[in-house]
Amino acid sequence: LDASLAGEAQILLDKIESKLSEREEQDSEFITVPLIKKMNAYFVHVMINDNVKALLLMDTGASVTHLSSSLAAMLRVNENDYIDKRRFLTASGEMWSPIVVLDSLSLGTIRVEKIEAGISGTFPKGTDGVLGMNFKKNNEPCNHFTNL
């Protein structure tokens, strides 16, 4: 390699790398969802079954999404809708929850159909439940969250 061409070669390599990086960004799908910070927790607005808005605590430690009994009543969930009853270990201890299948749960532009949710009594005022990681089962993992 002619040493006088090394500088030009490096410029061309930098341009190629820049173009490849641009293409990767274009091929990637970024989804931005506003997080609402209350005290030391983050909440998100969701749409359930395409017609009921809810505010759920984003809980990366929860395996399954849980809804308050009042939200379940708004969704017209009754005992005939229960498909199972499961035991969960929570920070507050063991609990048993009936499980239902929601038609859909949407968070921003992400929509998951036929998602299981537990019904778990009451949650703190202004909270309709917990968004569990089963919401993400068909979605790519989140790398980070930003408080908007």
Side-chain angles (χ1 to χ4, degrees), residues 6-148:
E8 289 179 43
Q10 187 60 53
I11 290 170
L12 287 174
L13 286 172
D14 290 345
K15 285 182 180 181
I16 291 169
E17 188 174 312
S18 175
K19 289 291 183 187
L20 288 173
S21 179
E22 286 175 17
R23 180 169 289 159
E24 285 176 6
E25 284 184 22
Q26 290 171 352
D27 292 342
S28 298
E29 182 179 349
F30 292 94
I31 298 168
T32 302
V33 177
L35 297 177
I36 300 150
K37 187 172 184 180
K38 289 185 177 185
M39 294 185 278
N40 292 324
Y42 289 97
F43 295 82
V44 290
H45 287 285
V46 300
M47 181 71 72
I48 301 172
N49 296 346
D50 296 324
N51 63 0
V52 176
K53 292 180 183 178
L55 182 66
L56 302 182
L57 169 69
M58 182 170 268
D59 187 348
T60 58
S63 57
V64 175
T65 297
H66 278 77
L67 309 178
S68 69
S69 53
S70 59
L71 179 57
M74 287 176 58
L75 293 164
R76 294 190 169 92
V77 170
N78 63 56
E79 289 184 17
N80 295 330
D81 298 317
Y82 298 168
I83 63 163
D84 196 7
K85 190 168 188 173
R86 294 191 195 140
R87 179 178 152 245
F88 294 93
L89 298 176
T90 72
S92 303
E94 179 183 277
M95 71 176 196
W96 286 86
S97 295
I99 303 295
V100 298
V101 177
L102 303 174
D103 291 335
S104 66
L105 194 151
S106 300
L107 172 62
T109 59
I110 303 170
R111 177 186 167 92
V112 176
E113 295 182 353
K114 303 300 179 195
I115 182 171
E116 292 185 357
I119 308 300
S120 300
T122 59
F123 287 86
K125 184 178 180 180
T127 304
D128 298 312
V130 171
L131 183 66
M133 291 297 98
N134 66 322
F135 175 78
K136 298 181 50 45
K137 71 178 178 181
N138 295 322
N139 295 298
E140 292 296 317
C142 291
N143 292 324
H144 64 278
F145 298 105
T146 303
N147 186 22
L148 301 177

